[in-house]
Amino acid sequence: MLVFEQAESPFFLQEVRVPRLTDARKELRRAQITEAAVRCFGRSGLERTSIADITAESGLSTGSIYAHYRSKAELVQAAARATLAKRAEVLGEYARAEDPPDPDELLARMTSAVNPVEARFGVQIWAEATTDPVIGRIVTDMIGRLRLMVHDCVTAWLVRAEGGDPAAARERAAPIAHRVIALYLAELLQTALRPPAEETTS
């Protein structure tokens, strides 16, 4: 990016080079902003959190926030995608593992990784999904992805444990995956409702 400043002589302009953010740096900055937003939303709620709060939490300027997200609503949507994508990434690793966990172990790993702040934000997003079509599509899509990845994990476990036909294993895995996701979402809700004081004592 080039910016021209007036030099000492009024008849000349001095060229100043302002470094641009690379794509990788942009992604890091966006992640920094969404992570700060999730912490703020988890503490204070969607309605009571302001852009000023997120600015202070992130350590960035207000201009930097608006350079990446045009509004608080857009930031809420990005934070929802980012939070759910983190869970999907972990599940994908389990599904691709040489020794996939059985359903009980899979659920134990998923619930042990539940972050109380992210759980509180997640439950708020579920509520928003009932009235905001954009948030609704994000939540429906991401939970669908989570369910598919749990289905993949259970299918892989059945094939490895029993050595059966993958198609038959996938059919058998469907109701198991449904129960695992249901129990996981119930744990998220329970964690979100737990008073913050309990987080340090449990």
Side-chain angles (χ1 to χ4, degrees):
M1 179 179 179
L2 299 180
V3 177
F4 292 94
E5 294 183 350
Q6 184 172 324
E8 292 182 3
S9 168
F11 301 105
F12 295 94
L13 292 177
Q14 179 180 2
E15 180 181 311
V16 178
R17 290 191 174 272
V18 178
R20 287 184 176 180
L21 289 175
T22 64
D23 288 343
R25 290 285 297 170
K26 285 179 183 177
E27 286 306 310
L28 286 173
R29 186 60 54 82
R30 289 174 70 87
Q32 182 180 354
I33 295 168
T34 55
E35 288 169 5
V38 168
R39 291 193 295 272
C40 289
F41 294 143
R43 283 197 305 265
S44 305
L46 297 179
E47 291 297 325
R48 290 189 296 274
T49 296
S50 66
I51 289 294
D53 296 327
I54 297 168
T55 299
E57 181 74 22
S58 68
L60 301 172
S61 66
T62 302
S64 182
I65 302 291
Y66 281 114
H68 294 279
Y69 299 103
R70 292 172 295 180
S71 66
K72 178 180 167 183
E74 187 175 295
L75 183 48
V76 168
Q77 294 164 18
R81 289 192 185 95
T83 301
L84 292 167
K86 284 168 64 177
R87 302 283 75 77
E89 182 179 350
V90 172
L91 286 173
E93 292 175 0
Y94 293 158
R96 294 187 296 269
E98 291 185 10
D99 187 17
D102 64 55
D104 288 339
E105 175 63 21
L106 176 61
L107 179 60
R109 292 185 189 183
M110 292 170 66
T111 55
S112 68
V114 171
N115 178 296
V117 173
E118 290 183 0
R120 285 193 285 274
F121 173 60
V123 170
Q124 293 174 58
I125 288 298
W126 296 348
E128 285 293 311
T130 63
T131 56
D132 185 324
V134 175
I135 295 292
R137 286 192 294 272
I138 293 170
V139 171
T140 300
D141 175 64
M142 294 305 297
I143 290 180
R145 286 177 58 191
L146 290 176
R147 182 175 288 109
L148 179 60
M149 289 183 176
V150 169
H151 194 175
D152 289 343
C153 288
V154 176
T155 300
W157 169 72
L158 284 171
V159 170
R160 183 174 179 82
E162 302 178 359
D165 175 58
R170 188 157 194 83
E171 185 174 350
R172 286 183 55 207
I176 301 173
H178 179 79
R179 288 195 294 272
V180 170
I181 282 291
L183 290 169
Y184 173 65
L185 295 179
E187 179 65 23
L188 278 178
L189 178 58
Q190 183 175 333
T191 300
L193 295 175
R194 184 181 302 145
E198 293 185 21
E199 295 167 13
T200 58
T201 59
S202 59

